[in-house]
Amino acid sequence: MTVVTLAQVKKSDVASAGGKGANLGELISLGFPVPPGFVVEADAYSSFIADFEIPGNDDITNTDRFLADIQQRITETNIDETLRQTIERHHAEIEAARGTSVTYAVRSSATAEDLADASFAGQHDTYYYVDESQIILMLKKCWASLWSESAFSYRHSQGIEHRSVAMAVVIQEMVPSVVSGVTFTADPVSGSDSVIITESSWGMGAAIVDGRVSPDQYVVDKKSGHLTSIKISDKKFMVPARLDEDPSRLRQVPAELRRAETLDDDAIDEITHWAMKAEEHFGCHQDLEWAIADDTLYLLQSRPVTVMGGVEDDVPAGRYILFKPVAENFTDPLTPLTQDIVEDLVPSMEIIYGRVYMNFDHLRALLPVNASDEAVAKMAYLSDPPEGSVTFSPLRAIALGGFGYLLYLIMGVFSMRTANMPDDFMNSFRDYFERTVADPSISAPQSIVQLFAKFRFFEPAGNMVLLANLVAPRYILLLEIIGSLIRKWAPDMPADTPSLLCSGTEGVLSTEMGREILAMAKVAKELPSVREIILDESPQHALEVIRQTPNTEAFCTAIDNFLAKHGHRALKEFELNSARWEEDPSPVVGMIRNYLLIELNLEDTERSVQLQRDELEADLAATLKAGPFGGVRLAIIRRLVNEAKYYIKLRENSRFFHIMGFYAVRRKILQVEQRLLASGALKCKDDIFYLKWEEAVSLDRGTMNWSDVEDTIRSRRMEHIRLNKLVPPKTIGVEEPSFAENDGTEPTLSGQGASPGHYEGKARVIMDPATNNEIEPGEILVAPYTDPAWTPLFLTANAAVIEVGSYLSHAGTIAREYGMPCVVDVANCTSRIKTGDLIRVDGSNGAVMLMQDNEEATA
């Protein structure tokens, strides 16, 4: 038999149906939901190619010419007429059963493919959107892909004789998938076989296979069947299931879907069920492809997992620790271009696994203390070291004297220059930013140097925003001194007194940003046409419609003024690939929309928080004045508090401006990208971020072209996705310190208290405020991380639970400003906690309680 239906094939038919076809037929026989189709068996290929002269593995002298000739001959030679008629008959039967025209996916299924000891994944071709008129051509193209350079090289490396491999072709009804993905019954990265990992994205699975999208990831524990982890990615692109009037294969995902979950609990349960059944039947770990259309799941492939945790990473020699100030602002690895441009910006830093690490030995050498590696690691990771594990070392302090004096000359003097400055003293940096962007002689890497690394000591201090950011953390020492004095002079005061006294700072740009968004919402409420458009249109289209609508000038002026001030901000601001609000204001429109849906009296909230601070300060004043030297002690505390509040503000505001510097670099990159896309040297937006800068320059000069970088871009995209799946180790070359983590079964999640207080309410899990920012007053924000782009959500929430962060992180700082409880570094909180769950947040002790009985807890 030369052509058979998939239902006629079993796993024993690999020699005739190929690995893919045999597995699909086996799945159908077991009742798996596999789309109908048929297989052009391997003997058809063997008959077709019988007159071709195929030399042995070692008999080919000019490989390139041989492969090109044989591929051309395959595609240009006519197939047997009987075979053509048989294929047409099978197609007609499928269309008759469907009652409508059918589009196919035509897939290669080599006879050595998808075996337990060899995987040809990605080596042979698959074609989508194939109609009746194209079936024969795509069949021959699949045969020809057996002789692609990659497939030829792979066979050679595996010792597979070229003449021994034949090609069956699966012609299967194409599922118009809304969601598609892959499922592994073991973790191919870590090698663990205790979990099932499902990755999914919008549209067809080709976007995942091509590395064009970082998929969502769902991890299920095999033993319990419970979902233990969810990671929702920014899914920028999709391959549509139907081309319709738009012939492009790759499309941008609508903004509201980019960070939306692709699977619900029922879909995950169903996928997990079939994955477990496949593994049980085939007797080994399985890699399944699937698609969902019209709320129905279809399995498209099941093959053995052939790579299990065997990937070696290029880790430099030495000892390193994850740089917490960057890690707590976003959790994804940096893109290759961002790495290339920023890796030399800060000494003693190294980018490993796409993340920023600090040289552990350099850090240790700068500390005037005797401490174990674990104690140093915990301090670097902004956690408390074991009690008694750190002691001051006079000898080390003396040895560091010279370095300390040099540091004083630079940072100490600059610290004095930035002391007690007005709130707008760094505004001069904006002009410096604009001049740098406008100067065509300054490249993207040079912009980093120009804006950050040239210390202009005779210019206004506001032009050196990176130095201002580096001196601002002195407030950490001030907080420690304040806490120590209060414990000594007023031991009965609450432990969180220093935090509360040092909050409520006026002039913090990130908190003002939230107030300005709320003010824009008030303008929109007063203009019925604007309010209606924002509520009815998608965020990415609403502003365009508003600008074309009469009598909306007041709102347009307000949002233009906002973007002129804050337009350089974005989610994941340290990543140069992150679109800024000036480029895409839809996240801002989404935040305004949320405020239109709720009633929020910010003035009452801020008044209440300020009253709490006033009462606390009055209690402290009364306590101190009741003891010796009370007036002097109170004056000292107040002086230290004011100084701490100033440097807290300096830290937040200097970041506002140095992120503007990162936007200057991005704008330089986008100028080059625009030229490359126009010339055809690049094919897709964002491809430039998977190149090194010199490669992009070579493309721009014409010394390289698309064919020189196509494979490089794809492999780096795939590597970036792989790094997204890795949980980066906190240390490299150093024994990782123990941190409190929850095993997924206890009702209390442990973290680090970042803002004191207690609150009980319903959780609202938000993975990306750009596409999901609806949070009602009184709810508890649960998030993977935060940066200033998340600030408006803190106006609405009554507490916050953050997966990655520290006491000094943005989440902790803003939560203290708004007087709301906040717990950070809560492992797996975004997967353990669901929207609507009743939880209790203890910001004083760093604990989050999952309430077992909502009614009882509420009572």
Tab-separated table of all heavy atoms in Angstrom, residues 112 196 314 322 329 352 358 381 392 417 427 525 579 585 626 672 693-694 706 754 824 827 852:
chain	number	residue	atom	x	y	z
A	112	ALA	N	13.693	7.250	9.910
A	112	ALA	CA	14.604	7.241	11.064
A	112	ALA	C	14.239	8.352	12.034
A	112	ALA	O	15.012	8.684	12.918
A	112	ALA	CB	16.051	7.404	10.600
A	196	ILE	N	5.290	17.624	34.619
A	196	ILE	CA	4.845	17.740	33.232
A	196	ILE	C	4.865	19.227	32.894
A	196	ILE	O	4.265	20.034	33.605
A	196	ILE	CB	3.442	17.162	33.034
A	196	ILE	CG1	3.466	15.660	33.278
A	196	ILE	CG2	2.913	17.469	31.639
A	196	ILE	CD1	2.106	15.014	33.201
A	314	ASP	N	27.967	28.141	28.882
A	314	ASP	CA	29.273	28.784	28.886
A	314	ASP	C	29.358	29.679	30.111
A	314	ASP	O	29.073	30.875	30.054
A	314	ASP	CB	29.456	29.588	27.597
A	314	ASP	CG	30.843	30.204	27.503
A	314	ASP	OD1	31.731	29.735	28.236
A	314	ASP	OD2	31.022	31.137	26.704
A	322	LEU	N	23.934	36.566	41.931
A	322	LEU	CA	22.928	37.293	41.166
A	322	LEU	C	22.786	38.711	41.711
A	322	LEU	O	22.682	38.921	42.921
A	322	LEU	CB	21.590	36.557	41.256
A	322	LEU	CG	20.490	36.974	40.281
A	322	LEU	CD1	20.909	36.690	38.841
A	322	LEU	CD2	19.204	36.226	40.593
A	329	ASN	N	13.723	43.649	39.355
A	329	ASN	CA	12.938	44.532	38.504
A	329	ASN	C	12.361	43.832	37.281
A	329	ASN	O	11.434	44.342	36.672
A	329	ASN	CB	13.773	45.734	38.076
A	329	ASN	CG	13.900	46.758	39.183
A	329	ASN	OD1	12.953	47.463	39.503
A	329	ASN	ND2	15.070	46.815	39.800
A	352	ILE	N	25.522	36.167	32.884
A	352	ILE	CA	25.522	34.705	32.820
A	352	ILE	C	24.074	34.249	32.774
A	352	ILE	O	23.228	34.783	33.500
A	352	ILE	CB	26.225	34.099	34.049
A	352	ILE	CG1	27.608	34.744	34.244
A	352	ILE	CG2	26.355	32.590	33.915
A	352	ILE	CD1	28.275	34.379	35.557
A	358	MET	N	27.154	39.613	39.983
A	358	MET	CA	28.232	40.387	40.594
A	358	MET	C	29.374	39.443	40.964
A	358	MET	O	29.136	38.325	41.430
A	358	MET	CB	27.687	41.086	41.852
A	358	MET	CG	28.698	41.953	42.586
A	358	MET	SD	28.059	42.470	44.218
A	358	MET	CE	26.488	43.190	43.732
A	381	TYR	N	22.430	39.499	48.751
A	381	TYR	CA	21.080	39.229	48.262
A	381	TYR	C	20.037	39.951	49.107
A	381	TYR	O	18.859	39.620	49.084
A	381	TYR	CB	20.812	37.717	48.239
A	381	TYR	CG	19.871	37.311	47.139
A	381	TYR	CD1	20.265	37.390	45.808
A	381	TYR	CD2	18.574	36.888	47.409
A	381	TYR	CE1	19.398	37.040	44.782
A	381	TYR	CE2	17.710	36.539	46.393
A	381	TYR	CZ	18.131	36.615	45.084
A	381	TYR	OH	17.270	36.282	44.066
A	392	PHE	N	33.122	42.846	62.652
A	392	PHE	CA	33.957	43.907	62.081
A	392	PHE	C	35.434	43.527	62.174
A	392	PHE	O	35.889	42.981	63.174
A	392	PHE	CB	33.707	45.220	62.814
A	392	PHE	CG	34.561	46.350	62.328
A	392	PHE	CD1	34.314	46.947	61.101
A	392	PHE	CD2	35.631	46.807	63.094
A	392	PHE	CE1	35.110	47.988	60.645
A	392	PHE	CE2	36.431	47.857	62.642
A	392	PHE	CZ	36.166	48.445	61.408
A	417	ARG	N	27.599	67.248	46.885
A	417	ARG	CA	27.065	68.096	45.809
A	417	ARG	C	25.578	67.846	45.579
A	417	ARG	O	24.868	68.737	45.113
A	417	ARG	CB	27.833	67.857	44.513
A	417	ARG	CG	29.251	68.384	44.505
A	417	ARG	CD	29.863	68.211	43.137
A	417	ARG	NE	29.161	69.018	42.142
A	417	ARG	CZ	29.355	68.903	40.829
A	417	ARG	NH1	30.221	68.007	40.368
A	417	ARG	NH2	28.696	69.659	39.983
A	427	ASN	N	16.625	67.788	36.111
A	427	ASN	CA	15.915	68.054	34.859
A	427	ASN	C	16.849	68.417	33.723
A	427	ASN	O	16.518	68.237	32.547
A	427	ASN	CB	14.895	69.177	35.058
A	427	ASN	CG	13.636	68.685	35.759
A	427	ASN	OD1	13.510	67.500	36.068
A	427	ASN	ND2	12.716	69.587	36.029
A	525	LYS	N	-13.444	61.190	32.659
A	525	LYS	CA	-14.793	61.053	33.211
A	525	LYS	C	-15.649	62.267	32.889
A	525	LYS	O	-16.877	62.160	32.726
A	525	LYS	CB	-14.723	60.844	34.724
A	525	LYS	CG	-14.332	59.442	35.145
A	525	LYS	CD	-14.359	59.290	36.661
A	525	LYS	CE	-14.000	57.871	37.072
A	525	LYS	NZ	-14.022	57.689	38.542
A	579	ALA	N	9.400	48.126	24.622
A	579	ALA	CA	8.789	49.300	24.003
A	579	ALA	C	8.429	50.322	25.073
A	579	ALA	O	7.889	49.975	26.128
A	579	ALA	CB	7.540	48.889	23.222
A	585	PRO	N	1.558	53.925	23.802
A	585	PRO	CA	0.920	54.420	25.032
A	585	PRO	C	-0.241	53.561	25.521
A	585	PRO	O	-0.903	53.930	26.488
A	585	PRO	CB	0.424	55.813	24.626
A	585	PRO	CG	0.209	55.720	23.164
A	585	PRO	CD	1.209	54.737	22.631
A	626	ALA	N	10.117	61.764	77.629
A	626	ALA	CA	9.949	61.272	79.002
A	626	ALA	C	11.273	60.791	79.588
A	626	ALA	O	11.365	60.547	80.795
A	626	ALA	CB	8.930	60.136	79.031
A	672	VAL	N	18.644	52.287	13.410
A	672	VAL	CA	19.326	51.295	12.570
A	672	VAL	C	18.337	50.233	12.107
A	672	VAL	O	18.335	49.829	10.934
A	672	VAL	CB	20.499	50.656	13.343
A	672	VAL	CG1	21.136	49.542	12.524
A	672	VAL	CG2	21.524	51.710	13.724
A	693	TRP	N	26.027	44.189	18.332
A	693	TRP	CA	26.015	45.494	17.698
A	693	TRP	C	26.849	45.510	16.415
A	693	TRP	O	26.423	46.069	15.393
A	693	TRP	CB	26.521	46.573	18.661
A	693	TRP	CG	26.566	47.919	18.020
A	693	TRP	CD1	27.654	48.642	17.667
A	693	TRP	CD2	25.436	48.712	17.616
A	693	TRP	NE1	27.293	49.834	17.084
A	693	TRP	CE2	25.937	49.895	17.042
A	693	TRP	CE3	24.052	48.523	17.689
A	693	TRP	CZ2	25.100	50.894	16.539
A	693	TRP	CZ3	23.216	49.522	17.194
A	693	TRP	CH2	23.736	50.684	16.629
A	694	GLU	N	28.029	44.889	16.423
A	694	GLU	CA	28.877	44.886	15.234
A	694	GLU	C	28.205	44.145	14.084
A	694	GLU	O	28.402	44.498	12.913
A	694	GLU	CB	30.245	44.274	15.551
A	694	GLU	CG	31.143	45.193	16.365
A	694	GLU	CD	31.356	46.544	15.693
A	694	GLU	OE1	31.562	46.572	14.453
A	694	GLU	OE2	31.300	47.577	16.390
A	706	TRP	N	20.943	39.217	4.901
A	706	TRP	CA	20.009	38.394	5.674
A	706	TRP	C	20.462	36.945	5.772
A	706	TRP	O	20.371	36.325	6.833
A	706	TRP	CB	18.621	38.477	5.055
A	706	TRP	CG	17.638	37.495	5.621
A	706	TRP	CD1	17.051	36.445	4.998
A	706	TRP	CD2	17.119	37.470	6.968
A	706	TRP	NE1	16.207	35.774	5.849
A	706	TRP	CE2	16.240	36.377	7.056
A	706	TRP	CE3	17.333	38.263	8.097
A	706	TRP	CZ2	15.560	36.058	8.239
A	706	TRP	CZ3	16.663	37.949	9.271
A	706	TRP	CH2	15.785	36.863	9.328
A	754	ALA	N	8.423	43.878	53.481
A	754	ALA	CA	8.979	45.086	52.858
A	754	ALA	C	8.240	46.336	53.283
A	754	ALA	O	8.774	47.436	53.164
A	754	ALA	CB	8.935	44.952	51.331
A	824	VAL	N	7.648	40.590	49.984
A	824	VAL	CA	8.373	40.315	48.753
A	824	VAL	C	9.152	39.005	48.892
A	824	VAL	O	9.240	38.425	49.966
A	824	VAL	CB	9.335	41.469	48.406
A	824	VAL	CG1	8.568	42.755	48.159
A	824	VAL	CG2	10.363	41.668	49.515
A	827	ALA	N	8.240	32.939	47.018
A	827	ALA	CA	8.439	31.990	45.923
A	827	ALA	C	7.115	31.401	45.449
A	827	ALA	O	6.275	30.990	46.245
A	827	ALA	CB	9.377	30.866	46.370
A	852	GLN	N	-8.109	28.890	54.284
A	852	GLN	CA	-8.690	27.608	53.893
A	852	GLN	C	-10.202	27.668	53.759
A	852	GLN	O	-10.794	27.010	52.925
A	852	GLN	CB	-8.310	26.534	54.923
A	852	GLN	CG	-6.812	26.313	55.038
A	852	GLN	CD	-6.203	25.839	53.738
A	852	GLN	OE1	-6.717	24.921	53.114
A	852	GLN	NE2	-5.136	26.488	53.310
